[in-house]
Amino acid sequence: QVQLVESGGGLVQPGGSLRLSCAASGSIFRILVMGWYRQAPGKERELVARIISGASTNYADSVKGRFTISRDNAKNSVYLQMNSLKPEDTAVYYCNAAVLTDKYTSLEVWGQGTLVTVSS
């Protein structure tokens, strides 16, 4: 079993910043990809950013230049620094990981979600 635990959500004013953290634990052989998705009310879940084991990153166009994803392989953790937040960034943010539990077995894991609210 692998678990993801997120932290760092909350209420912030437009233009403000927040930093989300996600730590993976359990039967981990290797983490291939870690990332963040979000789901706003009435909308589908969408990719925000992801980072692959070689440090290659992908961002949604809507967050490029404002959000930065980073990873600490030693801690099995991923972070999302969110700057210049906008009301449209309001959503539940979910941590996601593609994990090898041994050399041959992979699984996709989701965190429980953390709410980010951008409002004055």
Side-chain angles (χ1 to χ4, degrees):
Q1 287 280 21
V2 177
Q3 298 82 36
L4 300 178
V5 177
E6 302 132 331
S7 61
L11 173 65
V12 63
Q13 292 186 341
S17 298
L18 279 176
R19 185 175 187 250
L20 304 183
S21 300
C22 172
S25 62
S27 301
I28 299 170
F29 174 72
R30 182 182 174 190
I31 299 178
L32 302 175
V33 182
M34 295 191 84
W36 293 93
Y37 287 71
R38 68 185 180 187
Q39 187 166 20
K43 295 188 177 182
E44 294 187 355
R45 191 174 297 189
E46 62 175 359
L47 173 68
V48 177
R50 63 180 181 180
I51 184 166
I52 303 171
S53 58
S56 173
T57 58
N58 299 116
Y59 292 93
D61 287 343
S62 60
V63 306
K64 284 181 181 177
R66 301 188 298 122
F67 291 11
T68 302
I69 190 169
S70 60
R71 183 171 163 176
D72 185 334
N73 291 327
K75 296 182 179 180
N76 288 333
S77 295
V78 65
Y79 311 96
L80 186 68
Q81 178 66 42
M82 304 186 292
N83 298 329
S84 302
L85 282 160
K86 305 175 181 180
E88 50 263 45
D89 294 317
T90 295
V92 177
Y93 284 70
Y94 296 91
C95 182
N96 172 271
V99 178
L100 288 176
T101 56
D102 57 43
K103 288 180 68 175
Y104 309 105
T105 306
S106 64
L107 66 133
E108 183 179 30
V109 189
W110 291 91
Q112 79 283 359
T114 186
L115 178 63
V116 172
T117 303
V118 185
S119 175
S120 55

